[in-house]
Amino acid sequence: MMDLKLRIGGKFKQMHEPFISGMTYRNYLPLEEKHNYLHEEVPYEALDKLIVLIVEAFDKQFTVDEFYAGLSSYDLRVKIAEFIAIVKGFPSKSEFDENPEEYLAVDESEENDATPSNDGGEA
């Protein structure tokens, strides 16, 4: 689930995409093979390909140009990072806020703990 607020025609437009498909993930993989969008500057052609994927994931509720023009440069980078995280299967902030216990659950069946052993940690 991803929310996006773009400034289009001088007005802010709120978009919400509750479903990012597995096909979106599939289409992201070849892009990721060529570029690390989160940790390096990428050529604008590569960035354009990622933005096209974002537009498609939002069922073309906006254009590539509206995406670029509707966000500040900072927000552009934040939304790209959020999109990549969601595509890779990490929960969005709103999903986490709705169900934090689902993502923070601890398996209490594990009997191991972090108490140091007396034998120096050797098995």
Side-chain angles (χ1 to χ4, degrees), residues 17-60:
E17 184 52 53
F19 180 76
I20 303 294
S21 72
M23 185 56 73
T24 301
Y25 174 69
R26 166 65 181 87
N27 291 335
Y28 171 72
L29 291 175
L31 300 178
E32 183 182 49
E33 283 180 0
K34 295 179 182 177
H35 300 285
N36 184 338
Y37 289 91
L38 297 178
H39 299 290
E40 64 184 44
E41 292 295 324
V42 297
Y44 72 88
E45 297 92 348
L47 187 58
D48 286 351
K49 289 178 183 180
L50 181 64
I51 303 307
V52 166
L53 187 59
I54 293 172
V55 169
E56 290 172 356
F58 273 84
D59 292 325
K60 299 181 182 179

